[in-house]
Amino acid sequence: MVTSSAPGKVYLFGEHAVVYGEPAVPCAIERRARVTAREIDEGLRIHSEDLQLDGFTVEYEGDGEGRPDVDASEPLLEAAMGYVNEAVAQVRDAADAPGAGFEIRIESDIPLGAGLGSSAAVVVAAIDAATRELGVELSPEAIAERAYQVEAAVQDGEASRADTFCSAVGGAVRVEGEDCRTVDGVGNLPFVIGYDGGAGDTGTLVAGVRSLREEYDFAADTVRAIGDVVREGESVLGTDDYETLGDLMDFNHGLLSALGVSSRSLDSMVWAARDAGAMGAKLTGAGGGGCIVALDDTEDALTALKYTPGCESVFRAELDTDGVRQE
Ligand code: MEV
């Protein structure tokens, strides 16, 4: 039996545009998914008690082939099981063990579908734990590539390498197409996360941006402008110029809003953080609901978000320089 863990992430800049080859800078945070894998005779059994913050329990038994048969009234859980199913297919391929069966237990402090990279963290940790259980040790980069294949399969080809690479290697990373690298010298940025208790469906949100981009040249320009914001942001990353970084986060949020991926609760958390003096604030991840990330080195945004209607929880997130690891 092997347990591995992998971190969630926030996007400093660049979500959605990264799907179309623009650069993005996600940062791993100290919130982890832990996956325990035990080899069994055949099939796939998945247990999870805390994939959602309200403690919903799911027990799934399947054969590890195709889409899992879980209660469709819980689409997020169905999606999560889909990710684990595909991850097991990658493990069997990596270990050249097509018939390997697994019992998988998932524990996670990362809310599902909330923009903090829960699916990538679960997939990365699952691939590491299950391959090790079969006696195969993959590098973080190899795990990242296999985890990306999982996300691409589950999201019908609409995925970037950003979430999975960041979770596998940890720290701040830069992803542009297939070029994935660690960004050195980024210290502990003063991130404050606000969570509205909700979630967005990544596949639907990505598809929405794709059709806007195909329909309107100005939507395609908006995607390119996000890339410009990232390139500008890179010039101050690693310095203590948080004011410029914050301004660029604000700009990035505006562009994501224009692409239709923000929501009333995300906007109100962003504005509450800004009104409290945060240097910048934006949604993180696919949007639609879930989390915002603000930059604030005082306690003010944290306190303001506690009292913001629609904000269910708020916490500070430290940069996690560790990626996937065996526990
Ligand atoms: C989702 O966490 C980030 C998106 O850019 C999709 C992706 O990069 O695969 C919206």
Side-chain angles (χ1 to χ4, degrees):
M1 195 161 78
V2 178
T3 301
S4 296
S5 75
K9 56 104 231 313
V10 292
Y11 272 89
L12 190 54
F13 305 116
E15 54 274 86
H16 282 289
V18 69
V19 175
Y20 308 101
E22 298 294 343
V25 180
C27 300
I29 57 168
E30 283 185 339
R31 288 230 152 188
R32 290 191 159 249
R34 273 166 292 278
V35 176
T36 302
R38 187 171 71 83
E39 192 179 4
I40 56 176
D41 285 346
E42 55 178 9
L44 173 61
R45 264 184 258 147
I46 304 171
H47 311 272
S48 174
E49 289 176 7
D50 55 2
L51 269 177
Q52 285 181 320
L53 285 186
D54 62 6
F56 190 94
T57 302
V58 60
E59 299 264 334
Y60 159 64
E61 294 205 20
D63 57 6
E65 305 285 341
R67 284 283 169 132
D69 179 22
V70 282
D71 183 355
S73 67
E74 288 294 341
L76 277 174
L77 287 171
E78 185 183 357
M81 297 306 110
Y83 284 106
V84 178
N85 233 40
E86 290 289 342
V88 165
Q90 286 293 331
V91 167
R92 288 174 176 152
D93 181 62
D96 200 13
F102 291 99
E103 183 170 27
I104 302 278
R105 187 165 291 277
I106 304 167
E107 294 168 72
S108 177
D109 348 294
I110 314 166
L112 265 186
L116 299 182
S118 56
S119 60
V122 166
V123 167
V124 164
I127 293 177
D128 191 57
T131 46
R132 284 178 190 275
E133 173 71 355
L134 296 181
V136 173
E137 201 174 317
L138 299 176
S139 67
E141 289 74 17
I143 294 172
E145 184 55 30
R146 289 194 176 270
Y148 161 68
Q149 298 299 338
V150 170
E151 294 223 321
V154 178
Q155 291 162 212
D156 296 326
E158 306 262 19
S160 75
R161 288 175 163 76
D163 290 25
T164 41
F165 182 74
C166 184
S167 186
V169 306
V173 306
R174 180 191 197 274
V175 172
E176 183 172 6
E178 294 185 13
D179 179 20
C180 305
R181 56 183 75 177
T182 296
V183 183
D184 294 321
V186 178
N188 215 354
L189 293 167
F191 289 138
V192 175
I193 313 285
Y195 173 45
D196 69 5
D201 179 332
T202 301
T204 308
L205 290 152
V206 171
V209 172
R210 177 174 295 280
S211 57
L212 272 181
R213 188 174 161 271
E214 279 164 6
E215 190 170 352
Y216 301 114
D217 287 347
F218 51 79
D221 291 343
T222 306
V223 168
R224 275 192 289 274
I226 291 177
D228 292 337
V229 169
V230 182
R231 284 179 278 271
E232 191 68 36
E234 285 179 286
S235 63
V236 287
L237 254 188
T239 73
D240 57 5
D241 188 358
Y242 294 161
E243 289 295 341
T244 304
L245 218 50
D247 287 348
L248 293 169
M249 288 169 73
D250 287 343
F251 214 113
N252 196 160
H253 181 77
L255 296 170
L256 288 166
S257 243
L259 292 171
V261 298
S262 192
S263 71
R264 211 175 274 270
S265 57
L266 293 174
D267 283 344
S268 76
M269 291 190 291
V270 159
W271 277 106
R274 289 177 186 164
D275 287 347
M279 290 168 281
K282 62 182 280 295
L283 68 84
T284 173
C291 292
I292 64 128
V293 54
L295 208 60
D296 185 22
D297 52 9
T298 72
E299 293 302 301
D300 296 345
L302 196 84
T303 308
L305 281 164
K306 267 185 201 153
Y307 298 103
T308 300
C311 179
E312 195 178 283
S313 62
V314 55
F315 53 93
R316 265 207 185 280
E318 304 279 317
L319 187 75
D320 194 339
T321 49
D322 260 9
V324 64
R325 64 175 184 231
Q326 186 175 353
E327 292 289 305

